[in-house]
Amino acid sequence: MRPRTLLSRPRTAPATSGDVEVRIVDPRTDPEPTGWNRFRKTTAWQPMWDYEQLRLESWLSRNPTVLGVLSKGGSVLGACLAMSCTPWRGRRFGPSGGRGLAPGWAEVYLSWFSGHSAAVFADRVDAARRRELLRAFERALAAHVGVGLLGVVYRAMPVDVAEAASGPGRAVREIDPTTVLVNRWESVDDWFASLRPPVREVVEAAAETASTLDVTAGAGRTDLDAAELATLLNTHRARQDARAWRSGQRARIAGLHLDTRSPIPTAYLAAFVRRPDVVTRTYRDGAGRLVAFHTLIDDRRGLALPHYAALPVSEGGRPRLYADVYAHCVRHLVEARRPELTAGRTLLDLKAGFGFTTRTLMSVAVPRPVMGR
């Protein structure tokens, strides 16, 4: 029996809006949409948009996703990923059962890649057309979900997408920006020389610390225990969340408040680190214990650092290994001649010391009465 959630209703024919066909797809059960592979290569190139990755993420999430695909004449013009969210936080993953009438909202959000947009468009789609496509997506989503949908929130959108999503009756807020390191150096030494002396000292100390560990890096790794990685990553994230609560950051409008993400699933991470476009670097102590790791998405259009986790020093971790991670990422950036490196929405001041700047992100809340208008 096909699972049903707030965003999972009986399969229907694609909706049409003018000359646009809108299909709401459940990655858990529906086949890959027509034209998706080509759109992936040209536009939605990050691994998070891979249909098999979406399938794994949605099956194992308490907030499963649907994919909205907007096409014309069989050619995909744009796509949106929407998470199903409810006011309560259960522990079940991939919930089943009829919930079409239960109140909840949808979030257009890349949950593990929040510095990048969950609404993407082909280059030929101009601003006016983007607005039209987003309205068509909203109408199709509302029809797919039913009366239980209270609205949709576009989270962590670049300015151009936020402008297309904005309008009368829609609340627009600037949120914490994402960090970006633009490649402007001829060598890693040039980057190192551009750092302030205290930061250079941290990088040197981190490199010395890393030299005492077993450090292994490579793309498409098959030698890793994904459960070990997921445990460290989810524990690291929980520790950061607890620290944020204590410091009062959750009360800030611009913060990562109301976190609707699920713990990253082992199966998802296992498939992710095996991808040829993902580099994973691990740090182990003399006993073979995993001390830290990170992943790096590598594409000619840019690098991204989606995952980093480390043991606290009090539990056997090493201080400031993040600095060694940044140094290796910059080396990859320069030597592979990639245009930029993005590294998420936290620790803005710390990353600024390594040369990162910021890119503005916006969120747009769209209540049900104005969806599609």
Side-chain angles (χ1 to χ4, degrees):
M1 180 179 296
R2 185 170 182 261
R4 296 185 65 203
T5 70
L6 176 66
L7 295 188
S8 177
R9 293 173 63 84
R11 190 179 286 110
T12 58
T16 57
S17 179
D19 60 346
V20 177
E21 177 185 273
V22 187
R23 183 181 293 273
I24 304 297
V25 180
D26 186 337
R28 294 174 296 178
T29 53
D30 293 335
E32 182 174 309
T34 301
W36 186 248
N37 186 52
R38 182 176 181 181
F39 186 72
R40 279 264 301 124
K41 291 178 179 178
T42 60
T43 306
W45 51 268
Q46 294 98 340
M48 289 72 174
W49 291 92
D50 180 88
Y51 202 69
E52 290 306 312
Q53 290 287 157
L54 291 176
R55 193 188 304 279
L56 282 169
E57 180 182 22
S58 194
W59 266 121
L60 299 170
S61 173
R62 60 179 157 232
N63 297 317
T65 58
V66 293
L67 174 64
V69 181
L70 303 116
S71 305
K72 178 182 178 181
S75 177
V76 179
L77 301 177
C80 297
L81 273 177
M83 288 196 302
S84 164
C85 303
T86 58
W88 52 89
R89 294 289 299 274
R91 297 185 62 84
R92 295 180 62 190
F93 289 75
S96 60
R99 284 172 55 187
L101 299 178
W105 69 98
E107 290 192 5
V108 181
Y109 185 41
L110 285 181
S111 59
W112 279 101
F113 204 37
S114 65
H116 294 255
S117 179
V120 292
F121 303 93
D123 289 340
R124 65 184 182 278
V125 178
D126 62 20
R129 188 63 157 165
R130 290 184 180 192
R131 178 185 177 88
E132 177 187 344
L133 292 176
L134 289 179
R135 299 306 189 273
F137 162 72
E138 292 169 11
R139 289 191 291 271
L141 186 65
H144 179 81
V145 174
V147 297
L149 183 64
L150 302 178
V152 61
V153 179
Y154 295 90
R155 290 190 68 181
M157 295 288 132
V159 173
D160 58 339
V161 178
E163 289 176 347
S166 64
R170 297 163 179 247
V172 182
R173 297 288 185 273
E174 182 173 344
I175 64 171
D176 288 347
T178 192
T179 49
V180 183
L181 187 67
V182 177
N183 188 357
R184 55 187 182 274
W185 300 283
E186 294 296 325
S187 69
V188 177
D189 289 341
D190 289 343
W191 167 76
F192 186 76
S194 72
L195 304 177
R196 296 183 295 109
V199 180
R200 289 202 297 267
E201 291 176 6
V202 169
V203 173
E204 289 175 331
E208 184 175 349
T209 298
S211 69
T212 68
L213 299 170
D214 177 11
V215 183
T216 306
R221 291 183 63 175
T222 59
D223 61 317
L224 297 171
D225 179 352
E228 180 184 40
L229 299 181
T231 297
L232 182 61
L233 182 59
N234 288 322
T235 302
H236 181 94
R237 175 183 158 194
R239 189 168 59 249
Q240 287 185 318
D241 284 350
R243 188 180 301 118
W245 277 111
R246 288 194 299 269
S247 65
Q249 291 178 9
R250 292 291 186 182
R252 295 166 52 209
I253 293 298
L256 294 171
H257 61 296
L258 193 57
D259 194 344
T260 52
R261 298 177 299 173
S262 302
I264 191 164
T266 295
Y268 181 91
L269 200 54
F272 191 80
V273 299
R274 285 175 167 81
R275 296 182 57 89
D277 54 352
V278 173
V279 175
T280 306
R281 175 172 283 100
T282 51
Y283 297 79
R284 296 185 182 276
D285 61 19
R289 186 186 188 191
L290 183 65
V291 173
F293 86 96
H294 79 91
T295 61
L296 180 70
I297 298 171
D298 180 19
D299 187 271
R300 61 179 176 79
R301 287 157 285 199
L303 304 178
L305 182 63
H307 307 122
Y308 170 76
L311 287 175
V313 175
S314 61
E315 296 179 15
R318 303 295 191 275
R320 297 178 175 178
L321 279 180
Y322 62 82
D324 190 67
V325 168
Y326 291 144
H328 281 289
C329 289
V330 172
R331 180 176 298 280
H332 195 126
L333 176 76
V334 174
E335 293 181 350
R337 298 184 181 277
R338 304 309 191 209
E340 67 178 27
L341 164 67
T342 60
R345 298 168 51 205
T346 60
L347 304 175
L348 303 184
D349 292 341
L350 184 150
K351 292 171 186 174
F354 292 96
F356 285 84
T357 56
T358 59
R359 181 171 293 158
T360 300
L361 295 176
M362 312 288 290
S363 285
V364 182
V366 185
R368 178 63 180 258
V370 301
M371 285 182 63
R373 299 179 184 177

